[in-house]
Amino acid sequence: MLRVAAVQALTPLLDLVRALAAVESWTARAAADGARLVVLPETFLPGYPAWLDVSPGTALWDDAGVKAVHERLFANAVEVPSPAYERLAACARAHRVTLVAGVHERAGRTLYNSVLTFAPDGALLAHHRKLVPTYSERMIWGAGDGAGLIAPEVDGVRIGSLVCWEHWMPTARQVLHDAGEDVHAALWPQVKEMNLVASRHYAFEGRCFVVACGALLRASDLPMELPAASSIARDELLLKGGSAVIAPDGRLLAGPVYDTETLVIADCDLREIARESMTLDVSGHYSRPDVFTITVDRTRRGLITR
């Protein structure tokens, strides 16, 4: 039995110091409740850039406010390694949990939507960068690579992750299914209806448990430098959570929960994976490797090597 926890919390937007403190606090609470795997939402450090969707004018070419917000985002992103990275590792180590953290990663002058997975001893197990930023996200994030499409093993349990719309990329899903995932961390800004559909489908297709994790964000936390930010109702919740834990047959074990800060916790009976795999195993007896092959380039892209 493996107890898992999705952290559904208000995003300390554009404030890495507060975001790290929130991670430490919520991880401590999850560990105290017996969780051995703790999952954070997409880019929780330092918050999902919801202004791309709700603030008109964020695609302006030379707007001083837009550039000022990007400067703050850049300054509060996480480098690998860095003191912020070390605090995440120390958090996993202090509470003896596997920690899956969604971060804005800064590499050179480029930002990536990344997932860092830390072992209970603080070692970095996986470092995934979102393959394709979705729509307006391409204004702030670079394209990722295949280096992090893995499912490392922790105490006999294989744990993988994808971000947001990667759950609608069939080849990315298949690569992780082939990696033998037992538990999959599905990181979202919020788990809306279709995001929950995708998460449940992933569990059913991959015959694995899925921790679908979303955040909360208040409109009042949007940077006022943004064009038209003052016209948005400040008491509105822009991100509403929706976190859930899903079993290998697609049923809900916990959640979805909306509009409140909480831990969404469930106990995963890993024996279910074998039982459900009898009827469907997309990497085994329900596959056709003689017909289909997938090649993955696992080269880490991005910076020039001199």
Side-chain angles (χ1 to χ4, degrees):
M1 194 74 69
L2 176 70
R3 179 164 290 187
V4 302
V7 173
Q8 180 167 294
L10 283 164
T11 297
L13 193 62
L14 298 176
D15 190 331
L16 182 58
V17 173
R18 287 178 55 225
L20 285 166
V23 170
E24 291 163 343
S25 175
W26 283 102
T27 302
R29 288 178 57 180
D33 283 341
R36 308 319 309 151
L37 171 65
V38 180
V39 180
L40 299 165
E42 177 180 354
T43 61
F44 186 74
L45 297 100
Y48 182 77
W51 61 83
L52 294 173
D53 297 322
V54 301
S55 181
T58 51
L60 293 177
W61 176 254
D62 196 27
D63 182 84
V66 172
K67 290 194 289 188
V69 170
H70 188 77
E71 179 187 352
R72 287 172 60 191
L73 178 60
F74 188 86
N76 283 273
V78 176
E79 288 188 300
V80 180
S82 67
Y85 165 91
E86 295 298 340
R87 277 184 67 176
L88 291 172
C91 182
R93 185 166 54 248
H95 300 290
R96 301 298 299 171
V97 299
T98 301
L99 179 63
V100 182
V103 306
H104 286 271
E105 179 196 354
R106 184 174 70 237
R109 295 181 181 176
T110 296
L111 297 178
Y112 294 96
N113 181 337
S114 297
V115 185
L116 304 177
T117 300
F118 295 94
D121 64 359
L124 182 65
L125 293 174
H127 177 187
H128 173 56
R129 291 172 174 169
K130 187 178 181 182
L131 295 168
V132 182
T134 304
Y135 194 50
S136 55
E137 294 174 351
R138 299 182 195 190
M139 290 189 292
I140 59 173
W141 292 324
D145 50 52
L149 291 175
I150 58 176
E153 186 176 313
V154 181
D155 296 329
V157 179
R158 291 197 172 275
I159 300 168
S161 64
L162 288 175
V163 183
C164 203
W165 279 39
E166 290 183 319
H167 292 90
W168 284 294
M169 297 178 73
T171 47
R173 296 200 312 266
Q174 186 63 51
V175 167
L176 283 185
H177 296 334
D178 289 347
E181 278 181 310
D182 298 305
V183 182
H184 174 78
L187 279 64
W188 303 90
Q190 62 179 335
V191 189
K192 298 185 291 186
E193 180 185 6
M194 285 306 298
N195 302 348
L196 183 60
V197 168
S199 300
R200 295 183 72 179
H201 173 269
Y202 192 100
F204 186 91
E205 178 182 77
R207 289 317 202 226
C208 61
F209 291 90
V210 170
V211 183
C213 190
L216 303 175
L217 178 66
R218 294 177 296 227
S220 57
D221 291 327
L222 285 180
M224 292 306 295
E225 301 99 318
L226 292 170
S230 59
S231 66
I232 301 170
R234 305 301 282 174
D235 59 349
E236 182 182 352
L237 267 181
L238 301 178
L239 302 179
K240 301 181 180 183
S243 302
V245 181
I246 305 153
D249 62 356
R251 78 184 189 282
L252 291 166
L253 293 177
V257 180
Y258 299 95
D259 301 337
T260 186
E261 288 193 293
T262 189
L263 291 169
V264 178
I265 294 178
D267 291 319
C268 301
D269 182 354
L270 299 174
R271 297 174 299 177
E272 285 194 42
I273 295 171
R275 294 198 292 266
E276 296 303 326
S277 295
M278 182 182 76
T279 49
L280 178 65
D281 177 7
V282 296
S283 298
H285 58 74
Y286 217 92
S287 67
R288 286 295 304 273
D290 56 322
V291 178
F292 305 108
T293 59
I294 297 177
T295 301
V296 184
D297 182 351
R298 299 194 184 279
T299 306
R300 175 61 81 205
R301 306 290 182 183
L303 299 178
I304 297 172
T305 302
R306 291 181 174 85

